[in-house]
Amino acid sequence: MIYSRIVGTGSYLPPRVMTNADFAARLDTTDAWIRERTGIVQRHIAEKSQTSSDLAFEASRHALAAAGVGAEDMDLIVVATSTPDYVFPSTACLLQSKLGVKGSAAFDVQAVCSGFVYGLATADNFIRAGAAKKALVVGAEVFSRILDWNDRGTCVLFGDGAGAVVLAAGSKPGVHASILRADGSHSGMLSVPGNVCGGAVAGSPFLQMNGQAVFKFAVRVLEESARETVAAADMQLSDIDWLIPHQANVRILDATARKLGLPSEKLVVTVDHHGNTSAASVPLALDEYVRAGKIRAGHRLLLQGVGGGFTWGSNLVTL
Ligand code: UT7
């Protein structure tokens, strides 16, 4: 049997930090409201000149270095993003060029905040099928570009960043199981309902969200997805060393861990200093905990995404 294994992680945050006080200075909001309702204290915001492929490039460099491999060794590059540099070509092709290589397959995955989990499952399937030996999977976002900065209900929630992993074929898992789900009937709950048409944006270029509906949906499906994925891997929830859910709101994270009976020590939380970075949130959180020496080789991780589409899913991984 061929399995895939994460052999290196990396991430990148743009240097500019925006605090809750920065929002309170220009909007009808407070640091206390944002902290209490979301757990967010600060987020990073890309410079105007920085695109998703720039952030992806930095995260990829770190992941490749950690894995001790070169970009030329990649057979596949998957970038999960909802904030691509262009309509086309894909951000993955732009990243491939920035990495100075050519020839590998490269494409984007669009599953909003579940994008990294979808991308990891996709690359895992390539490797299991023997269609790739090494793959770079990246989540990269500049959500600051699609926020209405006058809408206090959404603009305080998000941040920019990128995270990446290198997957390699091996004889032991690695990725034990991935389960991906979607329900397009909820597309209106969280969306940027616009497109480029005839030289202008048709519809809206800004993120719109029914926050309370998203909250309830997320808590329900994160629990379901965790149980389903653990069962598919023939394991128990008690086998999980670290739960790494999409970082949207600390209350969603706490509720999920509580419903699953997992102690707070096993819950990875970075939303306080990253905000919600959509497809970048899970690999950013993973890399931070790996580099801090908290997540180590042999640990069992449950990575989870939920977001626009609606999409959701989990990957159960032994590092
Ligand atoms: O990646 C997945 C995407 N997103 C999520 O997972 C987000 C899921 N949802 C949430 O995290 C929460 O629903 C929010 C943080 C978005 C909102 O928290 P909430 O506890 O559900 O608040 P709410 O929407 O019920 O709003 C409560 C009040 C409202 O005022 P009224 O109508 O009670 O007078 C809002 O207008 O809070 C008001 N409010 C704010 N007040 C101060 C909304 N945003 C703000 C703000 N500052 N930034």
Side-chain angles (χ1 to χ4, degrees), residues 293-306:
K294 296 179 192 165
I295 293 181
R296 293 190 298 275
H299 282 177
R300 291 237 167 87
L301 322 173
L302 189 64
L303 314 181
Q304 295 202 281
V306 57

Side-chain angles (χ1 to χ4, degrees), residues 6-314:
I6 295 176
V7 293
T9 68
S11 62
Y12 176 77
L13 289 160
R16 188 176 148 219
V17 168
M18 206 168 162
T19 64
N20 293 346
D22 295 331
F23 284 98
R26 48 178 295 277
L27 277 178
D28 182 15
T29 190
T30 59
D31 174 48
W33 191 96
I34 301 170
R35 273 178 204 248
E36 279 161 25
R37 299 296 179 112
T38 72
I40 299 168
V41 176
Q42 63 168 56
R43 69 292 285 147
H44 291 249
I45 303 292
E47 295 303 325
K48 276 212 167 71
S49 59
Q50 285 181 305
T51 63
S52 285
S53 70
D54 293 324
L55 274 46
F57 172 69
E58 298 298 339
S60 299
R61 273 197 321 118
H62 295 305
L64 290 164
V69 295
E72 65 282 1
D73 299 320
M74 298 302 113
D75 305 308
L76 171 67
I77 298 176
V78 180
V79 176
T81 187
S82 303
T83 47
D85 294 20
Y86 300 128
V87 173
F88 69 81
S90 69
T91 305
C93 283
L94 300 173
L95 171 62
Q96 186 200 49
S97 168
K98 284 180 183 173
L99 289 168
V101 293
K102 51 181 84 168
S104 66
F107 57 84
D108 288 0
V109 162
Q110 221 295 27
V112 200
C113 304
S114 312
F116 182 78
V117 167
Y118 265 62
L120 192 68
T122 304
D124 173 54
N125 278 308
F126 267 74
I127 289 177
R128 279 178 195 246
K133 286 204 166 60
K134 288 197 174 60
L136 180 63
V137 184
V138 188
E141 302 279 16
V142 284
F143 258 53
S144 59
R145 308 274 157 84
I146 52 168
L147 300 175
D148 175 351
W149 286 87
N150 293 313
D151 176 13
R152 67 177 184 170
T154 54
C155 72
V156 301
L157 304 175
F158 295 90
D160 300 334
V165 303
V166 175
L167 274 187
S171 55
K172 282 193 291 179
V175 179
H176 297 269
S178 295
I179 294 195
L180 308 179
R181 302 278 177 219
D183 180 350
S185 71
H186 294 296
S187 60
M189 215 151 73
L190 173 57
S191 62
V192 181
N195 60 62
V196 179
C197 179
V201 174
S204 168
F206 296 126
L207 181 147
Q208 303 175 3
M209 177 172 72
N210 178 345
Q212 283 191 3
V214 170
F215 192 104
K216 286 186 197 135
F217 194 93
V219 173
R220 178 170 65 79
V221 299
L222 286 172
E223 181 195 3
E224 279 174 15
S225 174
R227 293 189 187 281
E228 201 179 4
T229 309
V230 167
D234 213 9
M235 290 189 199
Q236 311 290 323
L237 281 163
S238 53
D239 294 324
I240 303 300
D241 295 304
W242 295 98
L243 180 66
I244 316 182
H246 167 52
Q247 305 285 312
N249 183 322
V250 80
R251 288 157 54 214
I252 296 178
L253 304 185
D254 288 342
T256 303
R258 200 167 49 243
K259 284 177 137 205
L260 293 172
L262 292 175
S264 57
E265 304 82 63
K266 291 188 172 185
L267 178 65
V268 170
V269 179
T270 55
V271 66
D272 54 332
H273 51 289
H274 294 168
N276 179 347
T277 57
S278 190
S281 91
V282 168
L284 260 168
L286 170 64
D287 185 53
E288 181 176 308
Y289 272 56
V290 166
R291 282 175 197 268
K294 296 179 192 165
I295 293 181
R296 293 190 298 275
H299 282 177
R300 291 237 167 87
L301 322 173
L302 189 64
L303 314 181
Q304 295 202 281
V306 57
F310 245 71
T311 57
W312 64 100
S314 308

